[in-house]
Amino acid sequence: MSNWNKETRIDLLIKLVLLPILPFFASVYSLLRINTRSSYLIIFISSLLFALSFTLDNNLSEGFDAYHYRNEFYTHSYMSLYEFKLSFIDYIEGLDPNKKDFYFDTLSFLTSRVTDNYHVLFVVIAIPFSYFALKSLRFLTSQKSYKFGLISLILTYLFTINQIFNINGARFWTTAWVAVYCLLQIYVSKNRRYYLLVLFLPIMHGSFFLFLILILIADLTKNRHTLWKALFFLSAVIAGFSSLLIQYSSTVLDAYLPSVVKTYIDNYTSVENLERAELISFLPNFFNNLIKMYIFIVIYLFIKNSKIIMANPRTRDLYLFLLVLATFSFSFSTIPSLGGRYLNLAYPLIAYIWLETFKNDKYKIVIYALPFIFSLQIYLQFFNYIAVFEPINLLLSPFYLIYKYIII
């Protein structure tokens, strides 16, 4: 990555004045100077302030995963250190098939030793989430072709589609940012030490044992570009019987699969989950399919320009992994909690490869179409923020927010 942009005194002064008074506007101004150290620091602080303000008392927020996290946190408040150790041992030994990972349990238990205020818990959750999200974003904004404008702004949205609201689902979405950061370090910076961090991802969210398999497959078949192009185009056909494929594999490999993996397979392919996916109303289903078609077309454009991508050491390996990931995601797209969620890991990779390969010059119309394709998702994201965040907080000082949510 290139160095930070130089900061002018006036820019720094504006940020320092806005931050203690109106942190939201300090963040908006920081977007104009995104590739500066102070901008990233301010966006990080603003993310933590949002987490501090994350409130579940509003009726609109009923049914969010955060309710489960809050209840678990209250349970941990009454748990002794001895009981926590026993719970961890049960997880390590696989004695509790419902305990798929131990990341949230650890954060929640440690936080409960200090306070029973769930607002503090979400701040703690937001720290690793925001840290890895911003460390990943640096790969995009440090590119020479990244200049503040509509295309860069749209690509930034695509890159950061896993937004701070997703502390609502802390386990999967935090792990997703750690995974993306590892991919960028391994395949762009060629820093192989991050394979070690990859090994810990299933502890954060159990389903990321699949991510380990995808990386292994990608690395073992890195010279099979033609094969993965063919498999990518076949993935739409595979999707039609993907749930049966998983169930069959589970039956054949039953004796070799850990109990946690079996639990995930049972959940993903359960009749209830598959029927719930089929009951999605017309409009969400239409836009979900539109997004899949859009991403399919974008990756097709990458394949069409693969000579340029393969010639660039910063995009070659990342592009090959993207083909593996996209093939997997599209093949299992009929199982939303599997293929659908994993497709979100592809968005930052797509944004990075696009900017690195096409700059701001080629296929502009495709990027301009993105806000329309994602319009329903943008609306739902806005609704989610309103459900857990009082808009008046945007005009409040961080000192008052601390008083409001911690001291009172």
Side-chain angles (χ1 to χ4, degrees):
M1 288 187 291
S2 60
N3 295 328
W4 296 101
N5 290 346
K6 251 186 177 179
E7 298 198 60
T8 63
R9 289 185 179 180
I10 186 66
D11 280 341
L12 197 53
L13 181 62
I14 291 172
K15 294 171 187 175
L16 290 175
V17 169
L18 285 176
L19 182 61
I21 305 172
L22 297 167
F24 172 73
F25 292 99
S27 295
V28 172
Y29 182 80
S30 295
L31 289 174
L32 303 175
R33 305 287 187 274
I34 185 65
N35 195 36
T36 59
R37 195 182 299 274
S38 65
S39 292
Y40 269 72
L41 179 59
I42 287 172
I43 294 171
F44 178 75
I45 292 172
S46 297
S47 298
L48 300 192
L49 291 174
F50 167 79
L52 177 65
S53 306
F54 196 101
T55 304
L56 297 170
D57 296 335
N58 192 321
N59 291 334
L60 292 174
S61 58
E62 290 183 1
F64 285 165
D65 290 345
Y67 272 100
H68 167 73
Y69 288 129
R70 185 178 68 175
N71 293 338
E72 282 288 300
F73 175 59
Y74 289 150
T75 300
H76 287 138
S77 297
Y78 296 99
M79 181 182 284
S80 67
L81 179 59
Y82 177 73
E83 290 172 322
F84 179 74
K85 287 179 180 177
L86 288 181
S87 178
F88 180 69
I89 291 171
D90 286 347
Y91 162 68
I92 292 296
E93 295 181 351
L95 298 178
D96 184 357
N98 294 318
K99 186 64 68 178
K100 306 179 187 75
D101 40 64
F102 216 75
Y103 169 71
F104 172 76
D105 301 71
T106 303
L107 289 188
S108 178
F109 178 78
L110 293 176
T111 306
S112 72
R113 301 304 91 184
V114 180
T115 179
D116 61 357
N117 186 335
Y118 79 87
H119 292 286
V120 177
L121 171 68
F122 283 108
V123 172
V124 173
I125 290 172
I127 291 173
F129 182 99
S130 303
Y131 176 81
F132 283 101
L134 292 172
K135 290 286 283 186
S136 301
L137 183 60
R138 271 278 289 143
F139 279 84
L140 182 75
T141 62
S142 64
Q143 290 191 47
K144 292 180 180 178
S145 53
Y146 187 95
K147 295 177 174 60
F148 188 80
L150 186 55
I151 289 180
S152 291
L153 190 62
I154 294 172
L155 289 174
T156 301
Y157 170 76
L158 182 64
F159 193 101
T160 58
I161 205 162
N162 179 11
Q163 297 176 9
I164 187 62
F165 168 81
N166 282 343
I167 56 173
N168 168 65
R171 292 163 46 247
F172 182 88
W173 299 111
T174 303
T175 312
W177 272 126
V178 180
V180 167
Y181 183 62
C182 289
L183 291 173
L184 293 169
Q185 285 286 358
I186 293 169
Y187 294 134
V188 177
S189 297
K190 313 302 178 186
N191 193 338
R192 307 301 181 187
R193 291 176 299 175
Y194 281 86
Y195 279 118
L196 295 175
L197 183 55
V198 167
L199 295 176
F200 286 94
L201 295 182
I203 297 176
M204 297 182 68
H205 193 277
S207 74
F208 274 75
F209 73 89
L210 289 169
F211 184 79
L212 302 185
I213 295 172
L214 291 177
I215 281 191
L216 181 63
I217 292 173
D219 287 355
L220 290 177
T221 59
K222 63 172 60 177
N223 296 319
R224 304 290 184 183
H225 179 226
T226 303
L227 170 66
W228 283 109
K229 283 195 296 185
L231 289 175
F232 171 72
F233 288 116
L234 280 173
S235 62
V237 178
I238 298 172
F241 53 91
S242 56
S243 59
L244 293 176
L245 181 63
I246 292 179
Q247 291 170 335
Y248 175 76
S249 301
S250 174
T251 303
V252 173
L253 301 174
D254 183 71
Y256 307 98
L257 293 175
S259 58
V260 171
V261 176
K262 293 177 187 177
T263 301
Y264 267 110
I265 291 174
D266 290 341
N267 288 340
Y268 288 149
T269 59
S270 67
V271 174
E272 293 81 3
N273 281 338
L274 294 177
E275 286 180 346
R276 193 180 301 122
E278 292 175 358
L279 289 173
I280 296 175
S281 59
F282 170 76
L283 193 61
N285 194 44
F286 171 78
F287 275 96
N288 285 339
N289 289 328
L290 200 60
I291 288 174
K292 291 174 190 175
M293 288 175 58
Y294 178 83
I295 297 301
F296 197 92
I297 291 169
V298 168
I299 296 177
Y300 163 73
L301 292 176
F302 286 167
I303 292 173
K304 186 179 178 182
N305 293 271
S306 59
K307 286 186 179 178
I308 302 171
I309 297 173
M310 297 281 281
N312 186 341
R314 290 188 297 276
T315 55
R316 180 184 185 277
D317 293 337
L318 195 65
Y319 160 68
L320 293 173
F321 177 82
L322 175 62
L323 283 182
V324 176
L325 175 62
T327 299
F328 170 81
S329 298
F330 282 113
S331 294
F332 297 99
S333 60
T334 55
I335 308 174
S337 55
L338 184 61
R341 283 205 296 187
Y342 262 76
L343 189 59
N344 284 272
L345 294 177
Y347 295 160
L349 312 187
I350 289 170
Y352 179 86
I353 293 171
W354 185 284
L355 188 62
E356 179 73 31
T357 304
F358 301 140
K359 316 301 181 187
N360 290 309
D361 304 321
K362 206 169 183 181
Y363 303 122
K364 288 183 179 181
I365 189 65
V366 176
I367 297 301
Y368 291 148
L370 190 146
F372 301 99
I373 302 294
F374 283 75
S375 57
L376 181 62
Q377 181 154 340
I378 293 170
Y379 166 77
L380 293 175
Q381 287 174 328
F382 176 77
F383 174 82
N384 287 336
Y385 278 109
I386 295 299
V388 298
F389 184 81
E390 297 179 52
I392 189 64
N393 288 343
L394 297 175
L395 303 176
L396 297 179
S397 161
F399 300 109
Y400 181 76
L401 293 176
I402 292 171
Y403 171 76
K404 180 179 178 181
Y405 292 107
I406 295 181
I407 298 176
I408 293 181

